[in-house]
Amino acid sequence: MIGKGHPFFPHLETMLEAARLARGIHLYYLEKGFTEGTKSGPTDLVTQADREAEEAIKTLLLERFPEAGFLGEEGGSEGNAALRFIVDPLDGTVNYAHGFPFYGVSLALEAEGVIQAGVVMDTARGETFYALRGEGAYLDGRPIRVTGRGELLGSLLATGFPYDVAQDPENLTYFARALRRGLLVRRPGAAALDLAYVAAGRLEGFWEVKLNPWDVAAGWLLVEEAGGRVTDLTGKPYTLGNRYIVATNGRIHEALLEALLTEVE
């Protein structure tokens, strides 16, 4: 189990509390009904649940840790950049709005540029994935590990596409290369959960183009603490804000990078 002596254990406890609060808001609006709008385009949805969940998370976290800053999908960045919470209040909004049960909440704590704590809660299933740096990754109190599969062919992979894929179609190239090689690829639509699934051994790998820090910060830590590997598309260590992310069990990593970057003859 995670040691209570870890310097960021109190932050993790509050992040778990905030995730439960956000899930309650998601479920409330599923029952009550909600209004929705758009941001960058007609497929980039935002709902009352997004906005209210972020406000509730922000209020709780900053009441407990007023010295911290906050970066959220809906409200942008404010406060201390050296210690900040990075939050997606509803990852998979399009899924949520359509009743497709693959969406959740993602919270991470970054200190001096390093992700120290992460929580991803699956609203539909009620599962909670969490990690503290150096303490391993967990699902509802049980330790999780990436899979031991070493062959790319037969591995289960996931990817996703940006809302403006018609204007930014780069990942269609990588997706097509993967399919032409006979690789097994899913597109569930919530990157935070995709990464949590890699950590939990439900997927061998995940890649995507053009994600934001709040999409990946918590899941990135989960994968690494579960024994996996996270890089950019060239194999260099991943950094927040990088256009490319590739996360795997480590054993198929090089083969996946090669498959994505190499044309099929």
Side-chain angles (χ1 to χ4, degrees):
M1 293 295 293
I2 288 177
K4 294 185 177 181
H6 192 288
F8 295 109
F9 181 80
H11 300 75
L12 176 64
E13 282 197 309
T14 303
M15 290 161 66
L16 289 165
E17 186 179 339
R20 290 189 291 269
L21 185 61
R23 180 175 184 251
I25 292 169
H26 299 171
L27 295 174
Y28 171 78
Y29 279 108
L30 284 176
E31 182 70 24
K32 177 187 176 184
F34 52 84
T35 59
E36 62 183 62
T38 60
K39 294 188 285 187
S40 63
T43 60
D44 186 5
L45 299 182
V46 61
T47 69
Q48 287 169 291
D50 293 82
R51 296 190 179 98
E52 291 193 19
E54 179 164 308
E55 191 58 37
I57 291 168
K58 180 179 175 181
T59 298
L60 176 59
L61 293 178
L62 297 188
E63 278 181 355
R64 301 276 179 85
F65 305 101
E67 74 280 9
F70 190 90
L71 173 62
E73 179 176 11
E74 307 308 328
S77 179
E78 63 179 72
N80 185 6
L83 180 71
R84 64 174 180 171
F85 294 100
I86 303 174
V87 172
D88 190 338
L90 178 47
D91 186 46
T93 299
V94 173
N95 289 348
Y96 177 81
H98 287 267
F100 185 82
F102 197 78
Y103 46 83
V105 54
S106 175
L107 305 92
L109 177 70
E110 182 186 42
E112 302 295 340
V114 178
I115 304 300
Q116 297 288 350
V119 174
V120 176
M121 182 174 284
D122 182 330
T123 293
R125 292 166 186 80
E127 294 183 324
T128 306
F129 306 82
Y130 57 93
L132 271 177
R133 182 163 296 281
E135 297 283 341
Y138 295 82
L139 167 56
D140 293 333
R142 303 185 307 276
I144 53 175
R145 296 291 293 177
V146 296
T147 73
R149 178 181 285 274
E151 295 294 325
L152 179 60
L153 193 62
S155 291
L156 188 59
L157 310 171
T159 191
F161 301 95
Y163 294 114
D164 60 345
V165 66
Q167 286 74 45
D168 191 352
E170 181 180 1
N171 197 31
L172 294 177
T173 299
Y174 308 134
F175 184 56
R177 289 172 182 169
L179 294 184
R180 290 191 186 111
R181 285 178 166 79
L183 302 184
L184 303 173
V185 186
R186 302 292 182 261
R187 197 277 194 222
L193 284 172
D194 290 334
L195 288 162
Y197 275 30
V198 174
R202 297 174 181 176
L203 295 167
E204 271 75 41
F206 165 77
W207 85 89
E208 197 162 334
V209 178
K210 202 176 178 180
L211 288 173
N212 294 298
W214 48 80
D215 298 312
V216 301
W220 172 23
L221 180 64
L222 284 169
V223 172
E224 291 192 336
E225 287 296 316
R229 183 179 173 194
V230 185
T231 73
D232 66 11
L233 202 56
T234 69
K236 294 178 181 176
Y238 181 73
T239 55
L240 278 185
N242 195 306
R243 177 173 169 83
Y244 308 98
I245 185 169
V246 181
T248 73
N249 65 359
R251 295 164 179 83
I252 66 162
H253 204 91
E254 296 299 335
L256 178 56
L257 292 175
E258 182 178 0
L260 297 176
L261 293 173
T262 306
E263 287 291 351
V264 179
E265 296 295 334

